[in-house]
Amino acid sequence: MTDTSLKTGQTPSLSFYEDMHPPAADFRSDILAGLSKPQKALPPKYYYDEEGSRLFDAITEQPEYYVTGTELELLRAIGPELAALAGEGAVVLEPGAGSSVKIRTLLDALERPAAFVGMDISGDHVRAACEELAADYPELEIGALCHDFTQKLDVDALPLSEKAHAGRRVVFFPGSTIGNFELIDALGLLKTLRSWLREGDALLIGTDMRKASETLEAAYDDKAGVTAAFNLNLIARINRELDGDIDADGLQYQAFWNPYRSRVEMYLMAVRDMHFTVAGERFVIRKHETIHMENSHKFTLDTFHDLAAKAGLKSRKAWVSGREPFSMHWLEPADEAC
Ligand code: AVJ
């Protein structure tokens, strides 16, 4: 993209970068707490070190993992409708700003968006991602926020231009990330996102849908073993960073569809009794005992709308992919909402 407004050699810069100093995650105490539970469990947010992020990108390229490709295809297909709903000069906010291909698809679809605000718990990550975006979208006001969901956010107070503040806010939350939260926490997160919206603003959110168990179990346990490697990478990270000696060869990855809770549950199961040490603490895992790694909830249009309604959000429009069912929702604040 050419841009005549920039002097040669000048790097396109962000309109703002603000570090809200989210509470630092404590890898050591979170892992020790998880391994000490009666049902061992590890927080999925720790998957994403450098190797973990690389492995996740590789997951999205596996033929069985339909999620990313399906969502992107759907997003492209509904672009004109999104443009009509958002109107001209919209402000897009993306919490957990990650896959730049999705945000670019949205920005390209909209009619002269006024601003983009990326937010992430990692300041370095969100700053780099937004700077890259700024290089390609010189017309757009772009801000980066180091922030997490547990922190209050006053969108009115962000240092955006008057024009941007006047545009419709579109909070973009793709990837079915909402599905990784326990339902009670998903509800809390939806309430938080709802609190950023004024009347007429919207939450554009992607949610994966219920489908055949074979399809789901294959998507979360690909033949090439990338999802298994993604899970075992967290064990390697624990061994490396917390001076652990867990024998990864004694752990077997398993994904299963739990229709009663409408979610894929991911586990590492011990194939034999194992004693191990992490950060100086001793643990035992018995043969067939599991470490719960992650959940990925799947919705129907109705179950997701019911959840959204509890958060004070009503559905204006929903789209379902023609391939594997995956949905995008345009939600607006309900009048009677909190
Ligand atoms: C984080 C929602 C994109 O649940 O589909 C994929 C995470 N874990 N394979 C999902 C994941 C294993 C993924 N998302």
Side-chain angles (χ1 to χ4, degrees):
M1 201 178 275
T2 49
D3 173 36
T4 46
S5 72
L6 289 174
K7 292 180 213 99
T8 30
Q10 189 184 340
T11 13
S13 54
L14 300 180
S15 301
F16 67 87
Y17 171 74
E18 219 168 279
D19 188 348
M20 297 179 68
H21 302 287
D26 189 340
F27 184 57
R28 183 178 174 280
S29 66
D30 287 351
I31 297 300
L32 289 176
L35 291 173
S36 304
K37 286 181 179 163
Q39 166 64 65
K40 292 178 174 62
L42 294 173
K45 67 176 174 186
Y46 292 118
Y47 276 135
Y48 301 90
D49 65 352
E50 213 178 298
E51 177 66 358
S53 301
R54 195 192 63 76
L55 285 165
F56 182 72
D57 287 346
I59 287 175
T60 66
E61 279 154 24
Q62 297 313 300
E64 299 96 330
Y65 191 73
Y66 58 85
V67 178
T68 314
T70 305
E71 182 178 46
L72 198 56
E73 200 176 288
L74 181 58
L75 209 51
R76 291 203 174 106
I78 66 176
E81 287 179 77
L82 295 175
L85 284 163
E88 220 185 292
V91 178
V92 179
L93 298 103
E94 187 183 18
S99 153
S100 88
V101 44
K102 285 179 205 163
I103 189 61
R104 283 164 192 253
T105 303
L106 176 60
L107 292 172
D108 291 345
L110 298 184
E111 222 182 302
R112 295 200 290 145
F116 170 72
V117 181
M119 301 169 218
D120 197 76
I121 187 153
S122 160
D124 291 343
H125 182 263
V126 70
R127 191 178 198 150
C130 289
E131 274 167 0
E132 254 182 59
L133 210 59
D136 294 332
Y137 294 82
E139 317 275 74
L140 202 62
E141 276 177 53
I142 299 183
L145 272 184
C146 175
H147 162 274
D148 87 358
F149 300 132
T150 62
Q151 300 180 289
K152 273 250 162 309
L153 177 69
D154 181 2
V155 181
D156 292 320
L158 292 179
L160 291 165
S161 69
E162 228 171 278
K163 178 178 163 257
H165 275 302
R168 174 173 278 117
R169 277 177 207 157
V170 179
V171 173
F172 185 46
F173 200 59
S176 203
T177 304
I178 193 77
N180 292 128
F181 294 83
E182 291 288 343
L183 290 181
I184 186 73
D185 299 324
L187 175 60
L189 178 51
L190 288 173
K191 284 181 179 170
T192 298
L193 300 179
R194 157 73 182 82
S195 75
W196 301 352
L197 307 177
R198 304 155 303 187
E199 206 186 314
D201 293 338
L203 169 61
L204 178 62
I205 184 167
T207 57
D208 195 17
M209 301 180 78
R210 286 180 72 115
K211 52 183 62 65
S213 61
E214 302 76 45
T215 309
L216 288 165
E217 289 182 352
Y220 290 87
D221 193 4
D222 59 278
K223 276 221 169 66
V226 184
T227 310
F230 176 65
N231 281 269
L232 289 167
N233 177 60
L234 181 48
I235 300 301
R237 182 178 177 192
I238 291 168
N239 286 342
R240 193 174 58 244
E241 295 181 22
L242 300 176
D243 192 26
D245 61 0
I246 308 171
D247 183 2
D249 289 339
L251 295 171
Q252 209 169 58
Y253 174 69
Q254 276 178 9
F256 100 97
W257 165 243
N258 180 345
Y260 310 105
R261 301 192 72 172
S262 204
R263 65 193 196 182
V264 177
E265 300 180 5
M266 290 157 262
Y267 295 94
L268 289 172
M269 187 171 78
V271 299
R272 52 185 161 78
D273 287 4
M274 294 196 289
H275 295 261
F276 60 91
T277 305
V278 172
E281 287 196 25
R282 303 168 70 87
F283 297 94
V284 60
I285 185 167
R286 297 298 175 183
K287 182 178 182 178
H288 294 156
E289 188 183 341
T290 55
I291 306 174
H292 188 189
M293 301 297 283
E294 194 178 27
N295 297 311
S296 193
H297 290 83
K298 307 301 172 187
F299 299 90
T300 66
L301 291 182
D302 286 336
T303 59
F304 189 68
H305 287 161
D306 290 347
L307 185 69
K310 289 188 169 69
L313 290 158
K314 62 171 190 289
S315 171
R316 170 82 179 267
K317 175 99 200 174
W319 302 266
V320 177
S321 155
R323 270 212 297 169
E324 291 301 344
F326 184 100
S327 55
M328 289 293 314
H329 301 260
W330 186 277
L331 305 172
E332 295 176 347
D335 320 314
E336 74 278 18
C338 21

